[in-house]
Amino acid sequence: GRVFVNPTIVDESFGVAPLEAQAVGLPVVATDVGAIHDVLLPGVTALLVPPGDVGAMTDALASALERTALADAGRAGPAFVADRYDWEDSVTAMEDIYRTVSSDG
């Protein structure tokens, strides 16, 4: 695959599939719903379009396929995901949340 497309109109609370595509260096074209914009690097690894806007989706996909946009996605995506979603950091953060919740109650 050359581009990952996520045309959902449903709010995504996290957006695992676009994040995984970005992690392997695929440029992403997605609708800007829920937290999608938080897990991607818009303009670098991803082009975001309004949900339901077929023209914007078509233009963004054509741009991504032509590589006129997102030229650095293959390098920037994996680095961003590795830095932001490091397993050890994620586990430590989750443990901190559990400690906080269990000490509150």
Side-chain angles (χ1 to χ4, degrees):
R2 295 179 12 197
V3 175
F4 178 84
V5 182
N6 192 66
T8 185
I9 58 170
V10 178
D11 278 351
E12 300 254 354
S13 61
F14 187 74
V16 173
L19 177 70
E20 290 174 340
Q22 180 181 239
V24 297
L26 283 176
V28 175
V29 174
T31 48
D32 192 5
V33 295
I36 294 291
H37 60 271
D38 293 329
V39 299
L40 300 173
L41 286 171
V44 178
T45 63
L47 297 176
L48 301 178
V49 301
D53 189 336
V54 175
M57 179 63 74
T58 302
D59 292 345
L61 184 54
S63 180
L65 286 170
E66 293 169 3
R67 302 296 289 178
T68 56
L70 312 180
D72 293 329
R75 179 181 44 79
F80 172 76
V81 173
D83 182 54
R84 188 163 184 191
Y85 298 99
D86 177 77
W87 276 112
E88 287 185 29
D89 292 344
S90 296
V91 168
T92 300
M94 188 61 68
E95 288 173 340
D96 290 344
I97 290 169
Y98 283 126
R99 279 189 206 97
T100 301
V101 171
S102 66
S103 66
D104 286 346

